[in-house]
């Protein structure tokens, strides 16, 4: 299992590789956050009547948790200064920081509830005027409330998938890492082939090994790819992004970054009818416990958010875990105290709550 920390035996090549991994993951987080916010902005910018039609395609679910107030309090004039921060129910909380958990979900077999193979916390920090993304490694070995200890990505399937599964991941992250998660967004991986095909494909450079696997296993009629640069279809790009037979999970993350970067590039150059057509196809594959008004509020302010500097974080960070082989497979056993401290410092900075929320 790849180790994100540096050991005594690391060579200069290993040091360069670790630096490359950090840059790769930061780029992936940045592009995903920008993509999500950009999509929401384009929905609102397309006109009120059609906006309401598109937003109606999203699967909205009620939020069972007690509310602490509307999201994005800090976007109102003067609201950031009066926004409260502190401990809320034992969790770090700040009214001016909205934490939204993005879950990329796929089912590999029929009647399988699937697993949340991609877990990313996107934080809109209006107090410090920043957009922050935190990636949670799927092989984290954590306590899943009511289910014992297992890999973090198992929390989704253990709790039945979809809404209950997302709530299970939220409660697991809150219980282990001590930060308040305000909302979740579930994105079915089936959305990616649809949006890629609507945008006319994505440009990806393949190695010979990657090309052979895409030829053999992607659900596409073209089977003559070799090493080189191609405009991949949605089916080809989806398989490419989750190749496991070559390299390790960090390389798999790099492939995902390339696909997301190409999607963002296509979004920026596509005309509005093409983008709206892609949204019409993919929004039904999005489920969230945000309300329609909260989605509109986020979208209306997305130009402001996109001008925020973007920063990335990973849980666990370097030196915050130990790799172990357990009955559930190879896992990352986190040092929870270190993970909590670094995550809270990243999200709340100098305003790290140290008193009871009042």
């Amino acid at each position: 299992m790849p180790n994100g920390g540096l050991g005594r035996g690391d060579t200069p090549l290993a040091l360069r590789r670790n630096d490359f991994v950090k840059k790769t993951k930061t780029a992936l987080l940045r592009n995903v956050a920008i993509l999500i916010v950009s999509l929401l902005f384009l929905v609102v910018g397309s006109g009120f009547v059609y906006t309401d039609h598109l937003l109606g395609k999203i699967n909205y679910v009620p939020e069972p948790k007690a509310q602490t107030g509307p999201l994005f309090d800090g976007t109102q004039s003067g609201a950031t200064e009066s926004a409260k921060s502190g401990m809320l129910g034992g969790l770090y909380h700040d009214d001016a920081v909205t934490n939204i958990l993005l879950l990329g979900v796929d089912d590999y077999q029929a009647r399988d509830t699937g697993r949340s193979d991609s877990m990313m916390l996107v934080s809109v920090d209006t107090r410090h005027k920043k957009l922050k993304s935190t990636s949670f490694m799927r092989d984290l070995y954590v306590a899943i409330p009511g289910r014992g200890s297992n890999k973090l990505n198992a929390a989704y399937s253990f709790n039945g998938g979809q809404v209950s599964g997302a709530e299970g991941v939220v409660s697991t992250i809150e219980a282990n890492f001590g930060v308040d998660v305000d909302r979740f967004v579930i994105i079915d991986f089936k959305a990616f082939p649809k949006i890629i095909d609507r945008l006319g494909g994505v440009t990806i450079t393949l190695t010979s090994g990657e090309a052979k696997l895409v030829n053999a296993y992607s659900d596409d009629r073209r089977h003559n790819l070799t090493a080189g640069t191609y405009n991949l279809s949605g089916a080809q790009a989806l398989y490419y992004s989750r190749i496991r037979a070559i390299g390790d999970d960090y390389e798999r993350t790099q492939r995902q970054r390339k696909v997301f970067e190409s999607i963002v590039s296509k979004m920026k150059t596509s005309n509005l009818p093409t983008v709206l057509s892609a949204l019409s196809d993919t929004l039904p594959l999005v489920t969230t416990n945000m309300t329609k008004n909260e989605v509109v509020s986020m979208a209306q302010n997305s130009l402001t958010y996109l001008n925020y500097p973007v920063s990335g974080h990973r849980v666990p960070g370097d030196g915050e875990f130990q790799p172990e082989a357990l009955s559930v497979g190879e896992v990352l056993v986190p040092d929870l105290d270190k993970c909590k401290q670094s995550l809270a410092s990243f999200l709340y900075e100098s305003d790290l709550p140290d008193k009871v929320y009042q």
Side-chain angles (χ1 to χ4, degrees):
M1 186 71 190
N3 189 334
L6 298 178
R8 294 180 181 177
D10 283 331
T11 64
L13 177 61
L15 292 173
R16 291 196 298 272
R17 180 180 182 278
N18 272 284
D19 183 59
F20 173 73
V21 167
K22 291 178 183 178
K23 292 179 180 179
T24 294
K25 293 188 71 63
T26 299
L28 171 63
L29 297 175
R30 179 185 67 244
N31 288 328
V32 173
I34 291 175
L35 174 62
I36 295 297
V37 177
S38 297
L39 288 175
L40 292 174
F41 174 74
L42 286 169
V43 173
V44 171
S46 62
F48 180 78
V49 175
Y50 193 57
T51 295
D52 191 64
H53 169 70
L54 284 177
L55 293 180
K57 291 177 174 287
I58 297 175
N59 299 302
Y60 297 96
V61 297
E63 168 57 54
K65 292 174 57 178
Q67 298 300 308
T68 58
L71 298 186
F72 314 110
D73 280 356
T75 61
Q76 304 299 323
S77 177
T80 300
E81 289 73 15
S82 61
K84 299 177 181 179
S85 65
M87 300 300 292
L88 179 63
L91 303 173
Y92 288 119
H93 176 86
D94 188 337
D95 286 344
V97 179
T98 298
N99 294 320
I100 301 174
L101 182 65
L102 303 183
L103 299 173
V105 177
D106 199 0
D107 53 340
Y108 292 99
Q109 299 177 9
R111 296 181 297 279
D112 182 7
T113 57
R115 290 176 184 251
S116 51
D117 276 353
S118 176
M119 292 163 284
M120 185 181 307
L121 190 68
V122 175
S123 303
V124 182
D125 181 355
T126 57
R127 187 181 297 281
H128 302 100
K129 311 299 186 210
K130 295 180 181 179
L131 187 62
K132 304 172 181 179
S133 298
T134 302
S135 176
F136 290 87
M137 299 296 284
R138 60 182 186 162
D139 289 333
L140 272 166
Y141 189 67
V142 294
I144 301 174
R147 297 285 183 169
S149 295
N150 209 310
K151 293 183 179 182
L152 177 59
N153 72 334
Y156 183 86
S157 57
F158 280 176
N159 287 275
Q162 277 297 311
V163 177
S164 58
E167 291 168 353
V169 179
V170 168
S171 64
T172 299
I173 288 176
E174 290 182 338
N176 285 273
F177 303 108
V179 298
D180 190 22
V181 178
D182 297 291
R183 299 289 188 273
F184 63 75
V185 177
I186 307 169
I187 305 174
D188 191 322
F189 278 152
K190 296 184 183 70
F192 293 107
K194 288 179 178 290
I195 195 169
I196 288 170
D197 287 336
R198 284 293 190 182
L199 294 174
V202 290
T203 303
I204 299 293
T205 299
L206 302 175
T207 65
S208 59
E210 291 168 343
K212 289 179 181 177
L213 289 171
V214 171
N215 288 337
Y217 298 109
S218 68
D219 186 18
D220 189 278
R221 289 179 296 178
R222 288 184 293 167
H223 303 292
N224 59 346
L225 302 182
T226 58
T229 301
Y230 298 92
N231 190 58
L232 299 185
S233 68
Q236 291 173 322
L238 177 61
Y239 181 79
Y240 166 81
S241 69
R242 63 185 193 186
I243 288 175
R244 299 176 187 272
I246 298 176
D248 53 31
D249 202 41
Y250 291 115
E251 292 181 32
R252 179 170 176 262
T253 301
Q254 181 186 5
R255 284 188 280 270
Q256 292 173 349
R257 174 185 62 83
K258 290 180 180 179
V259 173
F260 278 119
E261 285 182 341
S262 190
I263 292 175
V264 172
S265 178
K266 279 295 183 77
M267 291 289 295
K268 290 179 179 179
T269 58
S270 297
N271 57 46
L272 186 58
T274 297
V275 172
L276 293 180
S277 177
L279 288 174
S280 182
D281 281 348
T282 56
L283 287 180
L285 297 172
V286 173
T287 300
T288 183
N289 60 351
M290 295 175 67
T291 66
K292 185 181 292 188
N293 287 340
E294 288 170 347
V295 172
V296 170
S297 175
M298 181 180 184
Q300 287 175 331
N301 291 282
S302 62
L303 282 184
T304 298
Y305 303 150
L306 288 174
N307 284 323
Y308 287 172
V310 181
S311 54
H313 183 65
R314 188 190 76 212
V315 177
D318 293 345
E320 296 180 355
F321 70 94
Q322 291 294 328
E324 291 190 21
L326 302 177
S327 60
V328 296
E330 293 185 333
V331 299
L332 309 178
V333 179
D335 183 323
L336 290 180
D337 288 337
K338 289 183 179 179
C339 289
K340 288 179 181 178
Q341 182 178 359
S342 63
L343 177 58
S345 296
F346 172 69
L347 294 179
Y348 305 110
E349 302 186 25
S350 59
D351 296 287
L352 185 66
D354 59 359
K355 61 184 178 180
V356 176
Y357 183 87
Q358 298 176 343

